[in-house]
Amino acid sequence: MPEAHRIPVGDATTDAAPTVAAVHHEADSDDWLVWCHGLRSDKSGSYEARCRRASEAGYNAVRFDARGCGESDGEFVDSTLETRLTDLRHVVDYFDPRTYVVFGSSFGGKVAIHAAAEDERVAAVATRAPVTTSEPFEEYRTVVEREGTWTFDTGDRIERRFFDALDRYPFDDVVGELDVPVAIFHGGDDAVVDPDDSFAAAARLETDVLVERFAGEGHRFSAAGEQRLRDRLFDWLAWADAHQ
């Protein structure tokens, strides 16, 4: 059975330390796969099914809600690229794998890529429609610069600090640092994150990179596209593991 955890992501010596909600799908192995959700997503839905598939494939799978999302503490407006990288680091430290694979979707893809460049424990990084430029957020930036905040239709807000953190982590920083296998899966009809960004990013990386364009899929994959994604992901992971 999957096991729920509350993981401190601040000063663990104080009662006020925020915690994030994580779920561990256990497998009898030393292989780990940690999942990072998108900007306004959470650990539910497709991540639950992905974790079940990962566990069946022999991976200890962990899905978690970043601060301000899902069941975790905090407000969405306080969630930036930096806080999500911190959340991921605390989650990994909590389970303490020797090595792990990190998977990220959309904004979570950017989290995964930068984490992989910084953490020597990352053995491979896989992404779906990863954010590799600031272009998907420029419309919001314009409004924030003018009005101080952008409010999504859900009521979630982002402020200038979101962009300040984003600007501190350009893709340039990972180009010469990533030295593990990378997989990028992208919907060919994605109207949120341009598929061309993924091909351009892959061309700049100096490691082994797989890029697959899923014809007819948008930013959110259909059920059939999601099933194909899982199949391709675990085929690629078997290859990556064999070439370590």
Side-chain angles (χ1 to χ4, degrees):
M1 286 289 293
E3 186 174 47
H5 298 259
R6 300 295 305 194
I7 300 175
V9 292
D11 183 355
T13 65
T14 69
D15 292 337
T19 64
V20 298
V23 178
H24 175 207
H25 296 246
E26 187 175 4
D28 185 18
S29 80
D30 294 324
D31 297 325
W32 288 78
L33 177 52
V34 182
W35 308 80
C36 300
H37 63 73
L39 181 63
R40 294 191 293 146
S41 184
D42 57 41
K43 67 181 182 325
S44 63
S46 61
Y47 290 97
E48 184 173 1
R50 291 168 183 171
C51 281
R52 288 198 300 268
R53 175 67 179 272
S55 182
E56 292 167 0
Y59 286 90
N60 284 280
V62 178
R63 53 190 172 96
F64 70 97
D65 292 327
R67 261 177 286 181
C69 300
E71 299 175 316
S72 290
D73 293 340
E75 299 296 328
F76 182 85
V77 70
D78 298 320
S79 183
T80 67
L81 180 57
E82 287 174 336
T83 66
R84 294 193 183 209
L85 284 165
T86 298
D87 294 347
L88 172 60
R89 185 176 69 253
H90 279 287
V91 168
V92 173
D93 288 348
Y94 178 87
F95 292 103
D96 196 25
R98 183 179 62 83
T99 63
Y100 67 101
V101 175
V102 60
F103 179 102
S105 289
S106 193
F107 191 66
K110 186 167 182 65
V111 175
I113 287 170
H114 284 275
E118 296 176 351
D119 190 346
E120 294 182 351
R121 294 171 295 181
V122 175
V125 55
T127 63
R128 187 192 65 81
V131 171
T132 55
T133 76
S134 63
E135 185 59 33
F137 303 109
E138 290 308 307
E139 176 187 357
Y140 310 145
R141 187 196 298 265
T142 300
V143 175
V144 168
E145 288 177 347
R146 184 177 66 246
E147 301 178 6
T149 188
W150 166 274
T151 303
F152 294 100
D153 54 7
T154 56
D156 295 327
R157 296 181 295 112
I158 54 176
E159 297 175 345
R160 187 178 303 278
R161 55 188 146 159
F162 176 87
F163 296 99
D164 290 343
L166 187 66
D167 292 342
R168 284 193 287 271
Y169 287 85
F171 189 76
D172 288 353
D173 287 356
V174 307
V175 169
E177 296 297 325
L178 271 179
D179 58 2
V180 297
V182 175
I184 302 173
F185 305 102
H186 211 131
D189 292 343
D190 193 334
V192 177
V193 179
D194 192 337
D196 288 345
D197 290 349
S198 286
F199 287 92
R204 298 185 61 200
L205 294 176
E206 299 173 3
T207 188
D208 288 330
V209 186
L210 168 72
V211 186
E212 291 198 4
R213 178 182 181 273
F214 284 49
E217 297 294 340
H219 194 62
R220 293 183 180 274
F221 279 18
S222 65
E226 172 66 24
Q227 181 61 56
R228 182 181 163 207
L229 168 67
R230 291 180 217 156
D231 290 344
R232 295 298 299 124
L233 170 63
F234 287 98
D235 285 347
W236 176 79
L237 284 173
W239 172 89
D241 185 61
H243 290 78
Q244 290 296 320

